[in-house]
Amino acid sequence: QFPPSAISADERFFATDQEIHPLDNSKSGRLYVAICAPGKGAQTPIVRIWSALLQSSYEVTNYDPEANIDPFWTLVGYFNAMRELAGALSLYRQDIPQRLDLMAGDDARILDENNRLELSSRASSQNLPALLSKLELKFPNAQDSVFATSMFGTGVDIDRLSLMVVHGQPKTTAAYIQSTGRVGRLSSGLVVSFFRASRPRDLDHYEFFTGYHRALYRYVEPVTVASFSPRARERTLGPLSVI
């Protein structure tokens, strides 16, 4: 067998893993949090999750103006379907501002419609470079929020982002790793996964959330390859003959 088995489970021949203690803040990493609200429907938890995250980052700037709040100022919402994105967008325009007013009153964060981006199939590919350049702007000129679909998981390399809400478990673990890996690159990151209790697949991931994330890469689906298909032979026989 290669690589050979090691004495410790943390020894993987190529790398040595070490599980970080939750109270150890000396090493930045990504913290995954799961939320499931049975009996609350889908809209009420979305409004409360988004309002709490948006308002918390705003209050930090009031308490400590010197704090580096830029990584957590822009909230990224990841959606598996355009229908879910459109529903959350309507909540963002009306219900979430109302919730912020209820939470903080005169000290509520004001959400500007011009400080919102959408990275989905509805966005033109010609406008994509301009949208990404807006996303790179730092606080206080940073965007308030980003509404994204699977487009966000490939090719979006914005290192300043550190805050994300995942609405429902993506269809594959690879897509989940790709999307959540876009936040928390330079500093620590927070990924909040919102699961709907009415969906059996979401409920299953919620119940085994900790074990799933401790061995996240073990659950990546294998890629199926027809090894003797004509195209596969064309791509592999040349290098093999050279070797």
Side-chain angles (χ1 to χ4, degrees), residues 24-66:
D24 181 12
N25 58 4
S26 61
K27 298 177 182 178
S28 62
R30 223 175 277 115
L31 177 65
Y32 290 85
V33 179
I35 295 178
C36 185
K40 288 293 185 181
Q43 296 183 345
T44 301
I46 292 175
V47 171
R48 297 191 178 185
I49 292 170
W50 280 65
S51 301
L53 294 176
L54 290 168
Q55 182 64 24
S56 297
S57 59
Y58 175 73
E59 289 178 352
V60 170
T61 61
N62 293 337
Y63 296 147
D64 186 5
E66 301 297 327

Coordinates of all heavy atoms in Angstrom, one line a residue, residues 24-66:
D24 N -9.0 27.9 20.9 CA -7.6 28.3 20.4 C -7.8 29.3 19.3 O -8.2 28.9 18.2 CB -6.8 27.1 20.0 CG -5.4 27.5 19.5 OD1 -5.0 28.6 19.8 OD2 -4.8 26.6 18.9
N25 N -7.6 30.6 19.5 CA -7.7 31.6 18.5 C -6.4 32.0 17.9 O -6.3 33.0 17.2 CB -8.4 32.8 19.0 CG -7.7 33.4 20.2 OD1 -6.6 33.0 20.6 ND2 -8.3 34.4 20.8
S26 N -5.3 31.2 18.2 CA -4.0 31.6 17.6 C -3.9 31.2 16.2 O -3.0 31.7 15.5 CB -2.9 31.0 18.5 OG -3.0 29.5 18.4
K27 N -4.7 30.2 15.7 CA -4.6 29.8 14.4 C -6.0 30.0 13.7 O -7.0 29.6 14.2 CB -4.3 28.3 14.3 CG -2.9 27.9 14.9 CD -2.7 26.4 14.9 CE -1.3 26.1 15.5 NZ -1.1 24.7 15.6
S28 N -5.9 30.8 12.6 CA -7.2 31.1 11.9 C -7.7 29.9 11.2 O -6.9 29.0 10.7 CB -7.0 32.2 11.0 OG -6.0 31.9 10.0
G29 N -9.0 29.7 11.1 CA -9.6 28.6 10.4 C -11.0 29.0 10.1 O -11.5 30.1 10.2
R30 N -11.8 28.0 9.6 CA -13.2 28.2 9.2 C -14.0 27.5 10.3 O -13.9 26.3 10.6 CB -13.4 27.6 7.9 CG -14.2 28.4 6.9 CD -14.3 27.9 5.5 NE -13.2 28.2 4.8 CZ -12.3 27.4 4.3 NH1 -12.4 26.1 4.5 NH2 -11.2 27.8 3.6
L31 N -15.0 28.2 10.8 CA -15.9 27.6 11.8 C -17.3 27.4 11.1 O -17.8 28.3 10.5 CB -16.1 28.6 13.0 CG -17.1 28.2 14.0 CD1 -16.7 26.9 14.8 CD2 -17.4 29.3 15.1
Y32 N -17.7 26.1 11.2 CA -19.0 25.8 10.6 C -20.1 25.7 11.6 O -19.9 25.0 12.7 CB -18.9 24.4 9.8 CG -18.0 24.5 8.6 CD1 -16.7 24.3 8.6 CD2 -18.6 24.6 7.3 CE1 -15.9 24.4 7.5 CE2 -17.9 24.7 6.2 CZ -16.5 24.5 6.2 OH -15.7 24.6 5.1
V33 N -21.2 26.3 11.4 CA -22.3 26.3 12.4 C -23.6 25.9 11.6 O -23.8 26.3 10.5 CB -22.5 27.7 13.0 CG1 -23.7 27.7 13.9 CG2 -21.3 28.2 13.7
A34 N -24.3 25.0 12.3 CA -25.6 24.5 11.7 C -26.8 25.0 12.4 O -26.8 25.1 13.6 CB -25.6 22.9 11.7
I35 N -27.8 25.4 11.6 CA -29.0 25.9 12.2 C -30.2 25.2 11.6 O -30.3 25.1 10.3 CB -29.2 27.4 12.0 CG1 -28.1 28.2 12.8 CG2 -30.5 27.9 12.4 CD1 -28.1 29.7 12.6
C36 N -31.1 24.7 12.4 CA -32.3 24.0 11.9 C -33.4 24.5 12.8 O -33.3 24.4 14.0 CB -32.1 22.5 11.9 SG -33.5 21.6 11.2
A37 N -34.5 24.9 12.2 CA -35.6 25.5 13.0 C -36.9 24.8 12.7 O -37.7 25.3 11.8 CB -35.7 27.0 12.8
P38 N -37.2 23.6 13.3 CA -38.5 22.9 13.0 C -39.7 23.7 13.4 O -39.7 24.4 14.4 CB -38.3 21.6 13.8 CG -36.9 21.5 14.1 CD -36.3 22.9 14.2
G39 N -40.7 23.8 12.5 CA -41.9 24.5 12.8 C -41.9 26.0 12.5 O -42.8 26.7 12.8
K40 N -40.7 26.5 12.0 CA -40.6 27.9 11.8 C -40.7 28.2 10.3 O -40.6 29.4 9.9 CB -39.3 28.4 12.3 CG -39.2 28.5 13.8 CD -40.2 29.6 14.3 CE -40.1 29.8 15.8 NZ -41.0 30.8 16.3
G41 N -40.9 27.2 9.4 CA -40.9 27.5 8.0 C -39.5 27.8 7.5 O -38.5 27.5 8.1
A42 N -39.5 28.5 6.3 CA -38.2 28.8 5.7 C -37.9 30.3 5.8 O -36.7 30.7 5.9 CB -38.2 28.4 4.2
Q43 N -38.9 31.2 5.8 CA -38.6 32.6 5.7 C -38.1 33.2 7.0 O -37.2 34.0 7.1 CB -39.8 33.3 5.2 CG -40.2 32.9 3.7 CD -41.4 33.7 3.2 OE1 -42.1 34.4 4.0 NE2 -41.6 33.6 1.9
T44 N -38.8 32.8 8.1 CA -38.5 33.4 9.4 C -37.0 33.1 9.8 O -36.3 34.1 10.2 CB -39.4 32.9 10.5 OG1 -40.8 33.2 10.1 CG2 -39.1 33.5 11.8
P45 N -36.5 31.9 9.7 CA -35.1 31.7 10.1 C -34.1 32.5 9.2 O -33.1 33.0 9.6 CB -34.9 30.2 9.9 CG -36.2 29.6 10.0 CD -37.2 30.6 9.4
I46 N -34.4 32.6 7.9 CA -33.6 33.3 7.0 C -33.5 34.8 7.4 O -32.4 35.4 7.5 CB -34.1 33.2 5.5 CG1 -33.9 31.8 5.0 CG2 -33.3 34.2 4.6 CD1 -34.4 31.6 3.6
V47 N -34.6 35.4 7.7 CA -34.7 36.8 8.1 C -33.8 37.0 9.4 O -33.1 37.9 9.5 CB -36.1 37.2 8.4 CG1 -36.1 38.6 9.0 CG2 -36.9 37.3 7.0
R48 N -34.0 36.1 10.4 CA -33.3 36.2 11.6 C -31.8 36.0 11.5 O -31.0 36.6 12.2 CB -33.9 35.3 12.7 CG -35.4 35.7 12.9 CD -36.0 35.0 14.1 NE -37.4 35.4 14.4 CZ -38.1 35.0 15.4 NH1 -37.6 34.2 16.3 NH2 -39.3 35.5 15.5
I49 N -31.4 35.0 10.7 CA -30.0 34.7 10.6 C -29.3 35.8 9.9 O -28.2 36.3 10.4 CB -29.8 33.4 9.7 CG1 -30.3 32.2 10.5 CG2 -28.3 33.2 9.3 CD1 -30.4 30.9 9.7
W50 N -29.8 36.3 8.8 CA -29.2 37.4 8.1 C -29.2 38.7 8.9 O -28.2 39.4 8.9 CB -29.9 37.7 6.7 CG -29.6 36.7 5.6 CD1 -29.8 35.4 5.6 CD2 -28.9 37.1 4.4 NE1 -29.3 34.8 4.4 CE2 -28.7 35.9 3.7 CE3 -28.4 38.3 3.9 CZ2 -28.1 35.8 2.4 CZ3 -27.8 38.2 2.6 CH2 -27.7 37.0 1.9
S51 N -30.2 39.0 9.6 CA -30.3 40.2 10.4 C -29.3 40.1 11.5 O -28.6 41.1 11.8 CB -31.7 40.4 11.0 OG -32.7 40.4 10.0
A52 N -29.1 39.0 12.2 CA -28.2 38.9 13.3 C -26.7 39.1 12.8 O -25.9 39.8 13.4 CB -28.3 37.5 14.0
L53 N -26.4 38.5 11.7 CA -25.0 38.5 11.1 C -24.7 39.9 10.6 O -23.6 40.5 10.9 CB -24.8 37.5 10.0 CG -24.9 36.0 10.4 CD1 -24.8 35.1 9.2 CD2 -23.8 35.7 11.4
L54 N -25.6 40.6 9.9 CA -25.4 41.9 9.4 C -25.3 42.9 10.5 O -24.4 43.8 10.5 CB -26.5 42.3 8.4 CG -26.6 41.5 7.1 CD1 -27.9 41.8 6.4 CD2 -25.4 42.0 6.2
Q55 N -26.2 42.8 11.5 CA -26.1 43.8 12.6 C -24.9 43.6 13.5 O -24.4 44.6 14.0 CB -27.4 43.7 13.4 CG -27.6 44.6 14.6 CD -27.6 46.1 14.1 OE1 -28.0 46.4 13.0 NE2 -27.3 47.0 14.9
S56 N -24.5 42.4 13.7 CA -23.3 42.1 14.6 C -22.1 42.8 14.0 O -21.3 43.4 14.8 CB -23.1 40.6 14.8 OG -24.2 40.0 15.4
S57 N -21.8 42.6 12.7 CA -20.6 43.2 12.1 C -20.7 44.7 12.2 O -19.7 45.4 12.4 CB -20.5 42.7 10.7 OG -21.6 43.1 9.9
Y58 N -21.9 45.3 12.1 CA -22.1 46.7 12.2 C -21.8 47.3 13.6 O -21.2 48.3 13.8 CB -23.5 47.1 11.7 CG -23.8 48.6 11.9 CD1 -23.3 49.5 11.0 CD2 -24.7 49.0 12.9 CE1 -23.6 50.9 11.1 CE2 -25.0 50.3 13.0 CZ -24.5 51.3 12.1 OH -24.8 52.6 12.3
E59 N -22.3 46.5 14.6 CA -22.1 46.9 16.0 C -20.6 46.9 16.4 O -20.2 47.7 17.2 CB -22.9 46.1 16.9 CG -24.4 46.3 16.8 CD -25.3 45.4 17.7 OE1 -24.7 44.5 18.3 OE2 -26.5 45.7 17.7
V60 N -19.8 46.0 15.8 CA -18.4 45.9 16.1 C -17.7 47.2 15.7 O -16.9 47.7 16.5 CB -17.8 44.7 15.4 CG1 -16.2 44.8 15.5 CG2 -18.3 43.4 16.0
T61 N -18.1 47.8 14.6 CA -17.5 49.1 14.2 C -17.9 50.2 15.2 O -17.1 51.2 15.3 CB -18.0 49.5 12.8 OG1 -19.4 49.6 12.8 CG2 -17.6 48.4 11.8
N62 N -19.0 50.1 15.8 CA -19.4 51.2 16.8 C -18.6 51.0 18.1 O -18.2 52.0 18.7 CB -20.9 51.1 17.1 CG -21.7 51.5 15.9 OD1 -21.2 52.2 15.0 ND2 -23.0 51.0 15.8
Y63 N -18.4 49.8 18.5 CA -17.7 49.5 19.8 C -16.2 49.7 19.7 O -15.6 50.3 20.6 CB -18.0 48.1 20.3 CG -19.4 47.8 20.6 CD1 -20.0 46.5 20.4 CD2 -20.3 48.8 21.1 CE1 -21.3 46.3 20.7 CE2 -21.6 48.5 21.4 CZ -22.1 47.3 21.2 OH -23.4 47.0 21.5
D64 N -15.7 49.3 18.5 CA -14.2 49.4 18.3 C -13.9 49.8 16.9 O -13.8 49.0 16.0 CB -13.6 48.0 18.6 CG -12.0 48.1 18.6 OD1 -11.5 49.2 18.4 OD2 -11.4 47.1 18.7
P65 N -13.8 51.1 16.7 CA -13.6 51.6 15.3 C -12.3 51.1 14.7 O -12.1 51.1 13.5 CB -13.6 53.2 15.5 CG -14.3 53.4 16.8 CD -14.0 52.2 17.6
E66 N -11.3 50.7 15.5 CA -10.0 50.3 15.0 C -10.1 48.8 14.6 O -9.1 48.3 14.1 CB -9.0 50.5 16.1 CG -8.8 51.9 16.5 CD -8.4 52.8 15.4 OE1 -7.6 52.3 14.5 OE2 -8.8 54.0 15.3

